[in-house]
């Protein structure tokens, strides 16, 4: 195997191996590494190191460094195919993806044990290309202003009750966080959620569909991109009861009226904004999405299959469509990964415009 001195000779940098070595008053190795790096790439990433990182273990210089970094971390798995396909290993990989870690997928081929399968380290040139792609993503939206909506609106019935839906807001928040990380100026108009505001994002809190429309109209004029990820209620009570409806008064009759179609109204006000809509469907997913992209004059639509239990989940199933039809389909990916895919598609389309 290659010794530390070989790495030091070839790179011109010290090869560090000891978590507790070379400490001083002004230098702690794993913190120094973390603050110095623009990215961290683990080659090869064994089942052991993937498991340790997923569990937050930081008992050596590598894992302690990874625990301290705020830059992208890329793992290049390499192991026997049975180990790679082990449900626990796959669970750890999925967990790390959800938390923003990147994976350079292993290749299919002859393994060190003599068998063939998926688990062979990806070619070095592929890993380098993947690293370049990840680093390029960091500032590719730096000149753009994004207006993003999230969460499920609440339509008040009385001071206690309201009509709402199952949206958690996770998709919209993931989009806002990713857009900000990639350099965009982001305003997030959020219906009530249990989520913490993404760092560096301006958050406007709203309750109802009408509140969201007013907030969006205020910020839409300055936006370059609108992403309507919020689940806006379709109906609201005609009359708000100022006093709580008492149970003993019998079953109340609540008449409903349509809420404003926010994305349709904003698309009618657009100058040159790029508009992305969402469609949550139980049936005829892509057909209904195609109808919405035309009816609401959208540039792109993200179709969600809600039969997969996506509400409240960290994962999702999506189809991306434009006016010509389906661009791509993705199954059981994290919402953070979906956010990156959606933003990359937006960036490509804006580049084509220019």
């Amino acid at each position: 195997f290659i010794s530390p001195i070989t790495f030091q000779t070839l790179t011109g940098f010290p090869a560090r191996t000891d978590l507790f070595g070379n400490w001083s008053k002004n230098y702690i190795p794993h913190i120094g590494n973390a603050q110095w790096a623009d990215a961290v790439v683990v080659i090869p990433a064994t089942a052991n190191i993937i498991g340790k990182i997923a569990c937050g273990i930081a008992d050596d210089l590598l894992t302690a460094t990874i625990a301290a970094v705020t830059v992208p971390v890329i793992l290049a798995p390499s192991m026997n195919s049975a180990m790679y396909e082990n449900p626990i290993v796959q669970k750890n990989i999925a967990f790390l993806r959800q938390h923003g870690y990147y994976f350079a997928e292993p290749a299919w081929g002859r393994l060190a044990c003599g068998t063939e399968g998926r688990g062979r380290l990806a070619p070095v040139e592929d890993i380098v290309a993947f690293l370049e792609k990840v680093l390029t993503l960091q500032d590719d939206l730096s000149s753009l202003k994004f207006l993003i909506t999230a969460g499920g609106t609440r339509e008040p019935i009385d001071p206690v009750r309201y009509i709402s839906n199952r949206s958690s807001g996770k998709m919209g928040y993931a989009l806002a966080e990713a857009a900000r990380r990639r350099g965009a100026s982001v305003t997030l108009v959020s219906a009530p959620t249990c989520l913490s505001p993404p760092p560096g994002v301006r958050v406007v809190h709203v309750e109802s569909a009408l509140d969201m429309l007013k907030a969006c109209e205020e910020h839409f004029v300055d936006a370059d991109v609108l992403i309507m990820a919020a689940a806006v209620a379709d109906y609201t009570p005609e009359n708000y009861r100022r006093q709580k409806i008492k149970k003993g008064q019998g079953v109340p009759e609540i008449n409903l009226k349509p809420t404003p179609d926010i994305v349709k109204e904003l698309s009618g006000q657009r100058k040159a904004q790029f508009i992305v809509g969402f469609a949550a469907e139980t049936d005829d997913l892509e057909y209904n999405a195609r109808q919405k992209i035309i009816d609401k004059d959208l540039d792109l639509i993200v179709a969600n299959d809600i039969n997969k239990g996506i509400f409240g989940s960290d994962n999702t199933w999506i189809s991306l469509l434009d006016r010509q039809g389906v661009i791509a389909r993705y199954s059981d990916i994290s919402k953070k990964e979906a956010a990156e895919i959606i933003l990359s598609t937006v960036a490509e389309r804006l580049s084509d415009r220019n």
Side-chain angles (χ1 to χ4, degrees), residues 149 151-156 163-165 189-192 206-217 228 230-237 257-263 265-266:
T149 67
T153 61
R154 295 176 177 178
E155 308 304 317
I163 299 170
S164 191
N165 55 64
V189 178
S190 176
V206 299
E207 286 269 341
S208 69
L210 187 58
D211 294 337
M212 183 168 283
L213 173 62
K214 291 177 180 177
C216 287
E217 285 181 327
M228 281 292 303
V232 182
D234 294 317
Y235 298 97
T236 189
K257 62 181 180 180
T259 57
D261 189 330
I262 298 175
V263 70
E265 293 204 20
L266 293 175

Side-chain angles (χ1 to χ4, degrees), residues 24-299:
S24 69
K25 180 179 179 181
N26 299 316
Y27 182 76
I28 301 173
H30 63 287
I31 302 300
N33 291 344
Q35 293 175 342
W36 171 81
D38 294 312
V40 175
V41 186
V42 181
I43 309 174
T46 62
N48 179 62
I49 194 69
I50 291 170
K52 289 173 72 172
I53 297 169
C55 292
I57 296 171
D59 63 350
D60 57 30
L61 183 57
L62 175 58
T63 53
T65 298
I66 290 174
V69 297
T70 57
V71 297
V73 178
I74 299 171
L75 303 172
S78 177
M79 65 195 78
N80 173 270
S81 56
M83 294 177 68
Y84 181 69
E85 294 166 5
N86 183 293
I88 296 174
V89 174
Q90 287 299 312
K91 183 178 179 180
N92 287 335
I93 290 173
F95 177 79
L96 291 172
R97 286 187 192 277
Q98 291 169 9
H99 288 272
Y101 288 76
Y102 296 92
F103 282 82
E105 296 293 341
W108 179 282
R110 187 170 179 81
L111 307 173
C113 59
T115 62
E116 288 192 357
R118 183 167 298 283
R120 185 181 179 89
L121 184 70
V124 173
E125 57 270 25
D126 290 356
I127 298 173
V128 172
F130 186 72
L131 171 61
E132 291 174 342
K133 179 180 178 182
V134 170
L135 290 175
T136 302
L137 291 178
Q138 301 310 301
D139 293 307
D140 64 336
L141 305 177
S142 59
S143 63
L144 300 174
K145 295 179 181 178
F146 275 70
L147 175 60
I148 300 172
T149 67
T153 61
R154 295 176 177 178
E155 308 304 317
I157 297 170
D158 65 14
V160 177
R161 304 173 181 89
Y162 56 81
I163 299 170
S164 191
N165 55 64
R166 299 177 185 272
S167 174
S168 65
K170 289 181 178 180
M171 188 70 253
Y173 274 62
L175 283 161
E177 182 179 2
R180 180 67 190 92
R181 187 175 62 252
R182 290 168 70 161
S185 173
V186 181
T187 298
L188 175 64
V189 178
S190 176
T193 74
C194 296
L195 304 173
S196 300
V201 171
R202 179 184 182 183
V203 182
V204 180
H205 294 284
V206 299
E207 286 269 341
S208 69
L210 187 58
D211 294 337
M212 183 168 283
L213 173 62
K214 291 177 180 177
C216 287
E217 285 181 327
E218 179 181 346
H219 297 283
F220 182 65
V221 64
D222 294 324
D224 298 300
V225 178
L226 167 67
I227 304 181
M228 281 292 303
V232 182
D234 294 317
Y235 298 97
T236 189
E238 280 188 349
N239 299 303
Y240 172 70
R241 310 284 184 93
R242 296 189 178 277
Q243 293 183 326
K244 178 185 174 182
I245 300 170
K246 301 295 185 182
K247 185 175 182 180
Q249 296 174 345
V251 179
E253 182 178 296
I254 302 172
N255 295 319
L256 303 176
K257 62 181 180 180
T259 57
D261 189 330
I262 298 175
V263 70
K264 190 171 184 177
E265 293 204 20
L266 293 175
S267 67
Q269 302 172 22
R270 82 159 98 190
K271 295 178 182 177
Q273 291 93 335
F274 190 94
I275 300 180
V276 181
F278 273 68
E281 302 289 345
T282 56
D283 55 272
D284 296 328
L285 178 67
E286 292 174 358
Y287 173 80
N288 288 326
R290 284 195 296 270
Q291 295 301 112
K292 288 183 178 180
I293 202 170
I294 296 168
D295 180 54
K296 300 175 191 290
D297 192 22
L298 308 176
D299 296 292

